[in-house]
Amino acid sequence: MIDTVERRPWPGYVAKVSAVLVIMLGAIVLLGWIVKSPPLIQLLPNLPPMTRNAALCFGLCGAALLTLVIDGPRWVVFLCAGSVAFVSLTTIIEIVFRVDAGIDELLGSSFISVNLRSPGRMAPLTAVCFAFSSVALMLVPRPFTIASSLLVGLSGSIVTAFGAAAVVGYWGGVTLAALHTSFGLVILGVGMLALAWRVEGHPMPTPPWLPLSIVIAVLTGIVGLWRALILGGYAPFSILPTVVLVVGCVIGPIFGLTVFLAQRGHAQAAALRRSETFLQEAQHLSRTGSFSWDVSTDIVTFSAQAHRIYEFDPGPISFASIARMTHTDDMLLFLDMASRARRGEDLDEEYRLCMGDQSVKHLHLVAHQCGANENFEYIGAIQDITDRRLSEEALDQVRSELARVARMTSLGTLTASIAHEVNQPLAGIVTNAGTCLRMLASDSPNVEGARETAKRTIRDANRASEVIKRLRALFVKNAANNELVDLSEATREVAVLLSNELQRSQVLLRTKLADALPPVLGDRVQLQQVIMNLLMNASDAMASVDDRPRQLVITTTRDDDNSVRLTVEDVGVGFLPDEANRLFEAFYTTKNRGMGIGLSVSRSIVERHNGRLWAVPNSGPGATFSFAIPLSTESPLGVGGGVGDGVTRGPNRQHAAGNHDD
Ligand code: ADP
């Protein structure tokens, strides 16, 4: 239950009116005592007077109540209610222990002769009522709490019931207190009840003290009736008074219990409604719907948000209608999911819907089995992640643009290597063409030799064109491909392309490339881009190394977990272990002319291939960068293929998002 409370306005008005009436009552009677006016003190000559102490207590209790209602200063409440508590409790002590503490003469000696023994001392019932009221009022905290409303409510019911009993007592000829004191107590009690009623706690619309106060009221009424019967001439425990007493004692708690149960039922219903509203609001905000699926009957129940996601009209949903909405490219995945669910497996998948207007929605589904045996049910949640997917796709597009920019920037560095690569076959062509001419120009032309040289010319021209083709593939904007890539072969090509550049930087490249490495499915150019980036970084890291050979080892192996791994190990400046993840952050660079996107782009490329890329510092100098790509027959680049297409299946995404420290 929430302990902070709201306030209803109307009980506040009632409490204010009661407080003012009680203050006025006390003031009038005190005035009566001062001006010695019996009608104000005892109303009629045959009635007992309201004592000066009681009048004072009314005034002070009223002031305390009013201060609480108007949120006045706490010290006023303490002062007023504290004084009343002192007077009433001392009176009770005097009565119980039959002592005279002088409380009767607090406001001067009595001058009027009436039928009460001690005109200055309050009647026991009055003292008890004031004790309850003053202590309860003193204990009310600010802000109001449910507990304080309980305390004030119960005290208010007791005071009202006692006051009412005293009023009723007059008609039975029983004098429990002065008549206007009795009325005053009823008004004070009602004021306190109103103060308590003002406090509204969730989810209970009626005050929690209501059942108890009903029990008190019924019991007080029954005791009053019992007393009246006795005064009417019945013996206290003769049949009628006993029956009244017993029935009252049974009925009172039954009434209270009934109200309590009604209250609890209402509170539970309200709490349920409230939590349902919370849930619906949360589902709406997070675009997550929930569902249950009875596997044996294929009956599916959707939450309101799930209806919205599927754009279904409210009402029962069949499994077939859900299947119909599934994107055709994801149908196999969906059917596989359904059959796994029937076997009782937990589900965590992403799939797509094709809506009526041909738009595509991306959903993430998580579900697990509830219940045992054949009659189990699936409970799950579906989240609409279309926006996230679209922004990921946009991000991927930007990334692939960045990758292209990164490739272009390395073009400058590679100019010398490219020139060398192309120059060699060109020089070969020129030499062969010259030889060919010479062979044909002689008196007895060497046709056979000329043919051979022409063939060599063609071979060199092809080699040059191969180099150009490779370069074009690396630097021209191409859509991503899905092909079988031999990582060793791809590495060899990059090594050839970079060999001159590495030589120029005095880097000794050692390759340990596994033969017959199983191919991985992916984009050859993108993977070569990653290898090139790792090699260039390693070479840069060794640029300042002069005290040892700048050795660079590149290795490809097959891992035990059915993946292939490529490792680039250098002896460069290395990095600190806790920097391992920062290196992969976009725009993190320690180089003067670096852009800091190479590694972040490389990681995203590797992750798109469902693999992972990580770095560890060597135990000696330098660092080792590795990536591993699983051997898979399923297209890693998803439906439609490219890095920019961004469609990747659930489990794969989880894998890709894993920790990259090794
Ligand atoms: P750039 O090369 O433009 O700085 P990268 O993303 O490729 O961008 O690299 C980011 C940073 O990672 C580099 O600036 C460097 O500090 C660090 N780094 C990369 N490779 C290595 C390596 N082999 N040894 C040590 N540090 C490296």
PDB file of all heavy atoms in Angstrom, residues 369-395:
ATOM      1  N   GLN A 369       7.574 -21.516 -21.598  1.00  0.00           N
ATOM      2  CA  GLN A 369       6.475 -22.436 -21.338  1.00  0.00           C
ATOM      3  C   GLN A 369       5.976 -22.282 -19.908  1.00  0.00           C
ATOM      4  O   GLN A 369       6.764 -22.108 -18.987  1.00  0.00           O
ATOM      5  CB  GLN A 369       7.013 -23.844 -21.562  1.00  0.00           C
ATOM      6  CG  GLN A 369       6.010 -24.922 -21.331  1.00  0.00           C
ATOM      7  CD  GLN A 369       6.694 -26.283 -21.251  1.00  0.00           C
ATOM      8  OE1 GLN A 369       7.736 -26.472 -21.828  1.00  0.00           O
ATOM      9  NE2 GLN A 369       6.084 -27.186 -20.531  1.00  0.00           N
ATOM     10  N   CYS A 370       4.663 -22.315 -19.734  1.00  0.00           N
ATOM     11  CA  CYS A 370       4.098 -22.304 -18.384  1.00  0.00           C
ATOM     12  C   CYS A 370       3.222 -23.534 -18.254  1.00  0.00           C
ATOM     13  O   CYS A 370       2.504 -23.872 -19.186  1.00  0.00           O
ATOM     14  CB  CYS A 370       3.208 -21.093 -18.174  1.00  0.00           C
ATOM     15  SG  CYS A 370       4.116 -19.623 -17.893  1.00  0.00           S
ATOM     16  N   GLY A 371       3.261 -24.160 -17.106  1.00  0.00           N
ATOM     17  CA  GLY A 371       2.438 -25.354 -16.904  1.00  0.00           C
ATOM     18  C   GLY A 371       3.184 -26.584 -17.381  1.00  0.00           C
ATOM     19  O   GLY A 371       4.127 -26.496 -18.162  1.00  0.00           O
ATOM     20  N   ALA A 372       2.713 -27.739 -16.897  1.00  0.00           N
ATOM     21  CA  ALA A 372       3.436 -28.970 -17.220  1.00  0.00           C
ATOM     22  C   ALA A 372       2.590 -29.848 -18.131  1.00  0.00           C
ATOM     23  O   ALA A 372       1.497 -29.473 -18.544  1.00  0.00           O
ATOM     24  CB  ALA A 372       3.757 -29.702 -15.923  1.00  0.00           C
ATOM     25  N   ASN A 373       3.103 -31.006 -18.447  1.00  0.00           N
ATOM     26  CA  ASN A 373       2.445 -32.033 -19.265  1.00  0.00           C
ATOM     27  C   ASN A 373       2.025 -31.507 -20.631  1.00  0.00           C
ATOM     28  O   ASN A 373       2.589 -30.549 -21.141  1.00  0.00           O
ATOM     29  CB  ASN A 373       1.250 -32.642 -18.529  1.00  0.00           C
ATOM     30  CG  ASN A 373       1.674 -33.078 -17.143  1.00  0.00           C
ATOM     31  OD1 ASN A 373       2.841 -33.449 -16.955  1.00  0.00           O
ATOM     32  ND2 ASN A 373       0.782 -32.998 -16.205  1.00  0.00           N
ATOM     33  N   GLU A 374       0.960 -32.157 -21.192  1.00  0.00           N
ATOM     34  CA  GLU A 374       0.595 -31.786 -22.569  1.00  0.00           C
ATOM     35  C   GLU A 374      -0.143 -30.452 -22.600  1.00  0.00           C
ATOM     36  O   GLU A 374      -0.153 -29.760 -23.591  1.00  0.00           O
ATOM     37  CB  GLU A 374      -0.331 -32.824 -23.224  1.00  0.00           C
ATOM     38  CG  GLU A 374       0.047 -34.276 -23.078  1.00  0.00           C
ATOM     39  CD  GLU A 374      -0.453 -34.845 -21.768  1.00  0.00           C
ATOM     40  OE1 GLU A 374      -1.670 -34.849 -21.545  1.00  0.00           O
ATOM     41  OE2 GLU A 374       0.393 -35.251 -20.944  1.00  0.00           O
ATOM     42  N   ASN A 375      -0.785 -30.106 -21.488  1.00  0.00           N
ATOM     43  CA  ASN A 375      -1.633 -28.919 -21.515  1.00  0.00           C
ATOM     44  C   ASN A 375      -0.871 -27.649 -21.180  1.00  0.00           C
ATOM     45  O   ASN A 375      -1.362 -26.783 -20.493  1.00  0.00           O
ATOM     46  CB  ASN A 375      -2.783 -29.071 -20.521  1.00  0.00           C
ATOM     47  CG  ASN A 375      -3.709 -30.159 -20.983  1.00  0.00           C
ATOM     48  OD1 ASN A 375      -3.816 -30.396 -22.187  1.00  0.00           O
ATOM     49  ND2 ASN A 375      -4.332 -30.831 -20.046  1.00  0.00           N
ATOM     50  N   PHE A 376       0.344 -27.543 -21.676  1.00  0.00           N
ATOM     51  CA  PHE A 376       1.092 -26.346 -21.313  1.00  0.00           C
ATOM     52  C   PHE A 376       0.721 -25.166 -22.198  1.00  0.00           C
ATOM     53  O   PHE A 376       0.090 -25.313 -23.245  1.00  0.00           O
ATOM     54  CB  PHE A 376       2.592 -26.618 -21.307  1.00  0.00           C
ATOM     55  CG  PHE A 376       3.176 -26.957 -22.645  1.00  0.00           C
ATOM     56  CD1 PHE A 376       3.462 -25.958 -23.563  1.00  0.00           C
ATOM     57  CD2 PHE A 376       3.456 -28.273 -22.976  1.00  0.00           C
ATOM     58  CE1 PHE A 376       4.017 -26.263 -24.771  1.00  0.00           C
ATOM     59  CE2 PHE A 376       4.006 -28.592 -24.189  1.00  0.00           C
ATOM     60  CZ  PHE A 376       4.285 -27.584 -25.104  1.00  0.00           C
ATOM     61  N   GLU A 377       1.150 -24.024 -21.733  1.00  0.00           N
ATOM     62  CA  GLU A 377       0.789 -22.776 -22.395  1.00  0.00           C
ATOM     63  C   GLU A 377       2.068 -21.974 -22.590  1.00  0.00           C
ATOM     64  O   GLU A 377       2.987 -22.101 -21.789  1.00  0.00           O
ATOM     65  CB  GLU A 377      -0.147 -22.019 -21.461  1.00  0.00           C
ATOM     66  CG  GLU A 377      -1.059 -21.089 -22.164  1.00  0.00           C
ATOM     67  CD  GLU A 377      -1.933 -20.331 -21.146  1.00  0.00           C
ATOM     68  OE1 GLU A 377      -1.641 -20.367 -19.943  1.00  0.00           O
ATOM     69  OE2 GLU A 377      -2.856 -19.700 -21.572  1.00  0.00           O
ATOM     70  N   TYR A 378       2.100 -21.187 -23.627  1.00  0.00           N
ATOM     71  CA  TYR A 378       3.241 -20.299 -23.802  1.00  0.00           C
ATOM     72  C   TYR A 378       2.857 -18.893 -23.402  1.00  0.00           C
ATOM     73  O   TYR A 378       1.825 -18.391 -23.828  1.00  0.00           O
ATOM     74  CB  TYR A 378       3.702 -20.282 -25.262  1.00  0.00           C
ATOM     75  CG  TYR A 378       4.897 -21.151 -25.444  1.00  0.00           C
ATOM     76  CD1 TYR A 378       4.750 -22.502 -25.652  1.00  0.00           C
ATOM     77  CD2 TYR A 378       6.176 -20.634 -25.335  1.00  0.00           C
ATOM     78  CE1 TYR A 378       5.840 -23.324 -25.764  1.00  0.00           C
ATOM     79  CE2 TYR A 378       7.271 -21.440 -25.443  1.00  0.00           C
ATOM     80  CZ  TYR A 378       7.099 -22.791 -25.662  1.00  0.00           C
ATOM     81  OH  TYR A 378       8.186 -23.600 -25.750  1.00  0.00           O
ATOM     82  N   ILE A 379       3.678 -18.286 -22.559  1.00  0.00           N
ATOM     83  CA  ILE A 379       3.444 -16.890 -22.203  1.00  0.00           C
ATOM     84  C   ILE A 379       4.618 -16.121 -22.766  1.00  0.00           C
ATOM     85  O   ILE A 379       5.774 -16.543 -22.607  1.00  0.00           O
ATOM     86  CB  ILE A 379       3.424 -16.707 -20.668  1.00  0.00           C
ATOM     87  CG1 ILE A 379       2.391 -17.635 -20.028  1.00  0.00           C
ATOM     88  CG2 ILE A 379       3.174 -15.257 -20.287  1.00  0.00           C
ATOM     89  CD1 ILE A 379       0.967 -17.223 -20.193  1.00  0.00           C
ATOM     90  N   GLY A 380       4.348 -15.036 -23.414  1.00  0.00           N
ATOM     91  CA  GLY A 380       5.469 -14.335 -24.021  1.00  0.00           C
ATOM     92  C   GLY A 380       5.197 -12.869 -24.249  1.00  0.00           C
ATOM     93  O   GLY A 380       4.116 -12.351 -23.955  1.00  0.00           O
ATOM     94  N   ALA A 381       6.207 -12.204 -24.768  1.00  0.00           N
ATOM     95  CA  ALA A 381       6.106 -10.776 -25.074  1.00  0.00           C
ATOM     96  C   ALA A 381       6.627 -10.549 -26.476  1.00  0.00           C
ATOM     97  O   ALA A 381       7.582 -11.200 -26.904  1.00  0.00           O
ATOM     98  CB  ALA A 381       6.925  -9.980 -24.071  1.00  0.00           C
ATOM     99  N   ILE A 382       5.957  -9.642 -27.185  1.00  0.00           N
ATOM    100  CA  ILE A 382       6.463  -9.261 -28.503  1.00  0.00           C
ATOM    101  C   ILE A 382       6.692  -7.766 -28.491  1.00  0.00           C
ATOM    102  O   ILE A 382       5.818  -7.001 -28.080  1.00  0.00           O
ATOM    103  CB  ILE A 382       5.495  -9.607 -29.663  1.00  0.00           C
ATOM    104  CG1 ILE A 382       4.048  -9.613 -29.175  1.00  0.00           C
ATOM    105  CG2 ILE A 382       5.869 -10.857 -30.361  1.00  0.00           C
ATOM    106  CD1 ILE A 382       3.063  -9.814 -30.278  1.00  0.00           C
ATOM    107  N   GLN A 383       7.865  -7.385 -28.924  1.00  0.00           N
ATOM    108  CA  GLN A 383       8.182  -5.956 -28.941  1.00  0.00           C
ATOM    109  C   GLN A 383       8.342  -5.500 -30.389  1.00  0.00           C
ATOM    110  O   GLN A 383       9.004  -6.173 -31.184  1.00  0.00           O
ATOM    111  CB  GLN A 383       9.476  -5.714 -28.162  1.00  0.00           C
ATOM    112  CG  GLN A 383       9.740  -4.240 -27.966  1.00  0.00           C
ATOM    113  CD  GLN A 383      10.972  -3.984 -27.134  1.00  0.00           C
ATOM    114  OE1 GLN A 383      11.867  -4.822 -27.090  1.00  0.00           O
ATOM    115  NE2 GLN A 383      11.037  -2.843 -26.496  1.00  0.00           N
ATOM    116  N   ASP A 384       7.737  -4.368 -30.676  1.00  0.00           N
ATOM    117  CA  ASP A 384       7.883  -3.791 -32.012  1.00  0.00           C
ATOM    118  C   ASP A 384       9.208  -3.028 -32.043  1.00  0.00           C
ATOM    119  O   ASP A 384       9.350  -1.989 -31.406  1.00  0.00           O
ATOM    120  CB  ASP A 384       6.704  -2.831 -32.259  1.00  0.00           C
ATOM    121  CG  ASP A 384       6.751  -2.248 -33.664  1.00  0.00           C
ATOM    122  OD1 ASP A 384       7.785  -2.415 -34.330  1.00  0.00           O
ATOM    123  OD2 ASP A 384       5.752  -1.630 -34.082  1.00  0.00           O
ATOM    124  N   ILE A 385      10.188  -3.576 -32.767  1.00  0.00           N
ATOM    125  CA  ILE A 385      11.512  -2.944 -32.772  1.00  0.00           C
ATOM    126  C   ILE A 385      11.809  -2.326 -34.140  1.00  0.00           C
ATOM    127  O   ILE A 385      12.968  -2.161 -34.511  1.00  0.00           O
ATOM    128  CB  ILE A 385      12.611  -3.962 -32.396  1.00  0.00           C
ATOM    129  CG1 ILE A 385      12.496  -5.220 -33.255  1.00  0.00           C
ATOM    130  CG2 ILE A 385      12.558  -4.346 -30.944  1.00  0.00           C
ATOM    131  CD1 ILE A 385      13.719  -6.105 -33.180  1.00  0.00           C
ATOM    132  N   THR A 386      10.728  -1.988 -34.861  1.00  0.00           N
ATOM    133  CA  THR A 386      10.925  -1.456 -36.207  1.00  0.00           C
ATOM    134  C   THR A 386      11.783  -0.188 -36.197  1.00  0.00           C
ATOM    135  O   THR A 386      12.731  -0.070 -36.982  1.00  0.00           O
ATOM    136  CB  THR A 386       9.547  -1.144 -36.848  1.00  0.00           C
ATOM    137  OG1 THR A 386       8.725  -2.278 -36.658  1.00  0.00           O
ATOM    138  CG2 THR A 386       9.679  -0.836 -38.304  1.00  0.00           C
ATOM    139  N   ASP A 387      11.452   0.735 -35.289  1.00  0.00           N
ATOM    140  CA  ASP A 387      12.211   1.993 -35.266  1.00  0.00           C
ATOM    141  C   ASP A 387      13.681   1.738 -35.007  1.00  0.00           C
ATOM    142  O   ASP A 387      14.547   2.325 -35.643  1.00  0.00           O
ATOM    143  CB  ASP A 387      11.660   2.927 -34.175  1.00  0.00           C
ATOM    144  CG  ASP A 387      10.329   3.510 -34.601  1.00  0.00           C
ATOM    145  OD1 ASP A 387       9.975   3.312 -35.779  1.00  0.00           O
ATOM    146  OD2 ASP A 387       9.658   4.138 -33.765  1.00  0.00           O
ATOM    147  N   ARG A 388      13.925   0.834 -34.040  1.00  0.00           N
ATOM    148  CA  ARG A 388      15.324   0.534 -33.703  1.00  0.00           C
ATOM    149  C   ARG A 388      16.041  -0.041 -34.920  1.00  0.00           C
ATOM    150  O   ARG A 388      17.153   0.354 -35.259  1.00  0.00           O
ATOM    151  CB  ARG A 388      15.360  -0.468 -32.542  1.00  0.00           C
ATOM    152  CG  ARG A 388      16.690  -0.444 -31.815  1.00  0.00           C
ATOM    153  CD  ARG A 388      16.954  -1.726 -31.084  1.00  0.00           C
ATOM    154  NE  ARG A 388      15.892  -2.078 -30.138  1.00  0.00           N
ATOM    155  CZ  ARG A 388      15.810  -3.279 -29.604  1.00  0.00           C
ATOM    156  NH1 ARG A 388      16.687  -4.216 -29.923  1.00  0.00           N
ATOM    157  NH2 ARG A 388      14.862  -3.562 -28.759  1.00  0.00           N
ATOM    158  N   ARG A 389      15.344  -0.985 -35.607  1.00  0.00           N
ATOM    159  CA  ARG A 389      15.957  -1.611 -36.779  1.00  0.00           C
ATOM    160  C   ARG A 389      16.251  -0.572 -37.860  1.00  0.00           C
ATOM    161  O   ARG A 389      17.308  -0.575 -38.468  1.00  0.00           O
ATOM    162  CB  ARG A 389      15.020  -2.655 -37.360  1.00  0.00           C
ATOM    163  CG  ARG A 389      15.094  -3.962 -36.684  1.00  0.00           C
ATOM    164  CD  ARG A 389      16.367  -4.729 -37.091  1.00  0.00           C
ATOM    165  NE  ARG A 389      16.663  -5.717 -36.086  1.00  0.00           N
ATOM    166  CZ  ARG A 389      17.312  -5.480 -34.964  1.00  0.00           C
ATOM    167  NH1 ARG A 389      17.812  -4.282 -34.717  1.00  0.00           N
ATOM    168  NH2 ARG A 389      17.523  -6.409 -34.084  1.00  0.00           N
ATOM    169  N   LEU A 390      15.267   0.344 -38.067  1.00  0.00           N
ATOM    170  CA  LEU A 390      15.462   1.336 -39.120  1.00  0.00           C
ATOM    171  C   LEU A 390      16.658   2.221 -38.792  1.00  0.00           C
ATOM    172  O   LEU A 390      17.472   2.533 -39.656  1.00  0.00           O
ATOM    173  CB  LEU A 390      14.195   2.193 -39.289  1.00  0.00           C
ATOM    174  CG  LEU A 390      13.006   1.438 -39.902  1.00  0.00           C
ATOM    175  CD1 LEU A 390      11.810   2.364 -40.043  1.00  0.00           C
ATOM    176  CD2 LEU A 390      13.374   0.851 -41.258  1.00  0.00           C
ATOM    177  N   SER A 391      16.777   2.613 -37.504  1.00  0.00           N
ATOM    178  CA  SER A 391      17.922   3.471 -37.187  1.00  0.00           C
ATOM    179  C   SER A 391      19.216   2.675 -37.251  1.00  0.00           C
ATOM    180  O   SER A 391      20.253   3.210 -37.637  1.00  0.00           O
ATOM    181  CB  SER A 391      17.749   4.169 -35.838  1.00  0.00           C
ATOM    182  OG  SER A 391      17.391   3.241 -34.885  1.00  0.00           O
ATOM    183  N   GLU A 392      19.147   1.385 -36.934  1.00  0.00           N
ATOM    184  CA  GLU A 392      20.364   0.568 -37.082  1.00  0.00           C
ATOM    185  C   GLU A 392      20.764   0.478 -38.550  1.00  0.00           C
ATOM    186  O   GLU A 392      21.936   0.544 -38.888  1.00  0.00           O
ATOM    187  CB  GLU A 392      20.109  -0.840 -36.535  1.00  0.00           C
ATOM    188  CG  GLU A 392      20.435  -0.958 -35.069  1.00  0.00           C
ATOM    189  CD  GLU A 392      20.106  -2.331 -34.526  1.00  0.00           C
ATOM    190  OE1 GLU A 392      19.905  -3.266 -35.337  1.00  0.00           O
ATOM    191  OE2 GLU A 392      20.045  -2.450 -33.312  1.00  0.00           O
ATOM    192  N   GLU A 393      19.744   0.350 -39.391  1.00  0.00           N
ATOM    193  CA  GLU A 393      20.050   0.271 -40.815  1.00  0.00           C
ATOM    194  C   GLU A 393      20.688   1.566 -41.288  1.00  0.00           C
ATOM    195  O   GLU A 393      21.662   1.560 -42.043  1.00  0.00           O
ATOM    196  CB  GLU A 393      18.788  -0.011 -41.614  1.00  0.00           C
ATOM    197  CG  GLU A 393      18.408  -1.476 -41.552  1.00  0.00           C
ATOM    198  CD  GLU A 393      17.056  -1.774 -42.174  1.00  0.00           C
ATOM    199  OE1 GLU A 393      16.563  -0.930 -42.940  1.00  0.00           O
ATOM    200  OE2 GLU A 393      16.504  -2.845 -41.875  1.00  0.00           O
ATOM    201  N   ALA A 394      20.116   2.709 -40.801  1.00  0.00           N
ATOM    202  CA  ALA A 394      20.695   4.000 -41.190  1.00  0.00           C
ATOM    203  C   ALA A 394      22.136   4.083 -40.691  1.00  0.00           C
ATOM    204  O   ALA A 394      23.032   4.546 -41.406  1.00  0.00           O
ATOM    205  CB  ALA A 394      19.857   5.126 -40.600  1.00  0.00           C
ATOM    206  N   LEU A 395      22.332   3.586 -39.468  1.00  0.00           N
ATOM    207  CA  LEU A 395      23.679   3.614 -38.891  1.00  0.00           C
ATOM    208  C   LEU A 395      24.622   2.737 -39.703  1.00  0.00           C
ATOM    209  O   LEU A 395      25.775   3.113 -39.978  1.00  0.00           O
ATOM    210  CB  LEU A 395      23.602   3.090 -37.455  1.00  0.00           C
ATOM    211  CG  LEU A 395      24.775   3.394 -36.568  1.00  0.00           C
ATOM    212  CD1 LEU A 395      24.815   4.880 -36.268  1.00  0.00           C
ATOM    213  CD2 LEU A 395      24.648   2.621 -35.251  1.00  0.00           C
TER     214      LEU A 395
END
